Amino acid sequence: MKVGIFYAYWVHNWDVDFHPFVEKVSDLGFDVLEVNAGTVANMTVEARSALKTHADDRGLDLSYVVGLQHKYDIASENESVRKNGIGFLKTIAEAVGDMGGGPVGGILYGAWPETPLDGDFDRRPSVERSVVSMKEAIKSAEDNNVTFNMEVVNRFEQFIMNTCEEAIDYVKAVESTNAKVMLDTFHMNIEEDFFGDAILQAGDLLGHLHIGENNRMPPGYGRIPWTEIGAALRKINYQGYVVMEPFLMPGGEVGRDIKVFRDLAIGMDLDEEAHKALQFTRGVLK
Ligand code: MN
């Protein structure tokens, strides 16, 4: 099982140079560095190639994640917004394709964050529009050796899917082997009845897994049932990446978007904590 970490653990703003993180994350012993898909899509072909070469040299795999901005909402009522979103997903698939392909996850099916303002809001038309858009966008994932992993997030961040079951329905409706389910233990802790059952239900459709504690601390500092999760992953013979996504620092775009309002990193050495969390994860999920 390859274990990774999301670079944003160390930064305040989303757009950064990923090269220092290739060094850091491989030095810490991780197998995978997860980067921002939007940043990669905006890089030049040469810059993408340099990043991929650097990661290869350090024996590090890359994975990619993004939450769509409202102007790219593929579930929008506005046709031109949906078109822009489909175009953005295609640009990401092509950019990642330039780097050999790989997993692209996150809130790819709608805007992030998104909350309906009307209590009587019917989400079904949004889900249907999103599926139609995704059927179009997924073609470029198919052409570029890319998997689009639909990240199930909690109710305070999106409404299109909040449970693994809803994600399975969505992925089946998209009808592409390049569309998969992505789970995140932080969100599962809020929405799923049982962690193990959700993972078993996803089965072969589970394409990517984010791990983090209930408080978004590194694995080992909270109440997530890691033994139950590990058993379920073994049972489905999970072959995808496990990427930790701790967020400890308030401030900047990341602190604002992730809603980190207090400093959870007081007295902590972030690198040392990442290394400890990696050892912990390998121990409980092996
Ligand atoms: Mn996540």
Side-chain angles (χ1 to χ4, degrees):
M1 183 177 292
K2 289 192 172 181
V3 181
I5 188 164
F6 188 38
Y7 77 101
Y9 170 58
W10 284 280
V11 303
H12 289 293
N13 292 303
W14 297 113
D15 273 321
V16 296
D17 174 7
F18 297 129
H19 286 280
F21 296 97
V22 170
E23 294 292 313
K24 183 197 283 290
V25 163
S26 68
D27 284 346
L28 288 169
F30 286 91
D31 310 302
V32 182
L33 170 64
E34 187 154 290
V35 298
N36 185 341
T39 304
V40 168
N42 287 325
M43 284 161 60
T44 63
V45 178
E46 293 75 22
R48 282 199 288 271
S49 168
L51 177 61
K52 174 65 175 155
T53 302
H54 190 183
D56 285 347
D57 288 349
R58 295 302 307 257
L60 206 58
D61 291 358
L62 294 171
S63 61
Y64 310 85
V65 72
V66 71
L68 295 182
Q69 292 176 259
H70 283 86
K71 64 179 178 181
Y72 294 138
D73 179 4
I74 67 163
S76 171
E77 284 182 44
N78 182 318
E79 190 184 349
S80 71
V81 171
R82 292 200 302 278
K83 271 192 178 155
N84 288 338
I86 294 165
F88 182 62
L89 290 177
K90 287 184 170 178
T91 303
I92 288 174
E94 287 161 10
V96 172
D98 283 349
M99 300 165 74
V104 176
I107 299 91
L108 309 176
Y109 46 81
W112 177 74
E114 181 74 297
T115 306
L117 294 174
D118 176 0
D120 295 320
F121 173 81
D122 177 2
R123 68 177 173 164
R124 284 173 300 183
S126 300
V127 176
E128 282 160 20
R129 283 192 296 268
S130 175
V131 167
V132 170
S133 302
M134 186 56 75
K135 277 171 167 282
E136 176 64 27
I138 202 81
K139 290 177 195 163
S140 46
E142 291 164 356
D143 294 342
N144 286 285
N145 190 31
V146 164
T147 308
F148 280 166
N149 297 305
M150 316 299 162
E151 184 173 14
V152 184
V153 294
N154 72 73
R155 66 189 72 182
F156 305 108
E157 300 191 23
Q158 243 290 347
F159 56 82
I160 288 177
M161 58 183 76
N162 299 133
T163 64
C164 183
E165 187 174 16
E166 290 168 348
I168 291 168
D169 288 346
Y170 181 99
V171 162
K172 285 185 173 166
V174 173
E175 295 181 309
S176 166
T177 51
N178 294 60
K180 299 267 190 184
V181 173
M182 171 171 169
L183 296 174
D184 178 323
T185 58
F186 165 76
H187 300 290
M188 294 173 83
N189 179 59
I190 297 174
E191 302 292 351
E192 303 289 351
D193 296 343
F194 298 101
F195 288 78
D197 287 358
I199 290 167
L200 295 180
Q201 197 181 13
D204 289 345
L205 288 179
L206 186 63
H208 198 66
L209 180 67
H210 269 172
I211 58 169
E213 291 289 357
N214 48 286
N215 48 14
R216 302 208 104 155
M217 295 283 278
Y221 278 103
R223 307 180 259 102
I224 298 297
W226 298 110
T227 311
E228 176 185 340
I229 291 166
L233 292 173
R234 283 191 294 279
K235 209 161 184 180
I236 66 167
N237 190 28
Y238 179 66
Q239 298 295 317
Y241 298 147
V242 173
V243 174
M244 64 180 70
E245 197 188 22
F247 292 105
L248 306 181
M249 300 187 297
E253 295 166 355
V254 177
R256 176 197 65 196
D257 293 349
I258 302 295
K259 300 180 172 59
V260 184
F261 300 128
R262 65 189 195 280
D263 190 354
L264 296 164
I266 292 172
M268 285 186 156
D269 177 310
L270 293 188
D271 291 2
E272 192 185 313
E273 294 299 334
H275 182 70
K276 269 166 56 185
L278 173 63
Q279 302 302 112
F280 175 85
T281 299
R282 286 203 173 122
V284 291
L285 299 188
K286 65 177 180 291

